[in-house]
Amino acid sequence: MIPRPASDERTIWTPPQAIRFLRHCHTNDPDFADLIAFLIGTGLHRGEALGLHWDDVHLDAHTIYVRWTLSAIDNNTLALTVPKNRKSSDWVALSPRVHALLTHRKTRHPAPQ
């Protein structure tokens, strides 16, 4: 097996940097801005957020349930898979800001019947 190269140390944005990025996204790509605000507000990984279904969103209880993650298989096929560890499958509380974002999205993009 080929060893994986060492990854660089990750840096975390400061709140002003995150706000600046979100403002830029809202101007240029509002849907992407919603995704970034959701990721920041929930702490989910990108694949967990992209694997959510509206059935997993419980707006009345201000929670979501992570059941799936969107994964790249062999770097060329996307598939919904269960999270890698049991702790990842869990309920996540929604802040008022994220709840408002999801409520707004649900009215703009209702789930298919």
Side-chain angles (χ1 to χ4, degrees), residues 52-58 65 67 106 111:
L52 282 175
H53 296 80
W54 279 115
D55 290 345
D56 303 324
V57 178
H58 304 275
Y65 187 70
R67 293 185 302 146
K106 190 160 188 170

Side-chain angles (χ1 to χ4, degrees), residues 8-18 40:
D8 294 335
E9 185 175 335
R10 295 179 185 192
T11 57
I12 306 295
W13 285 346
T14 64
Q17 289 171 321
I40 291 171

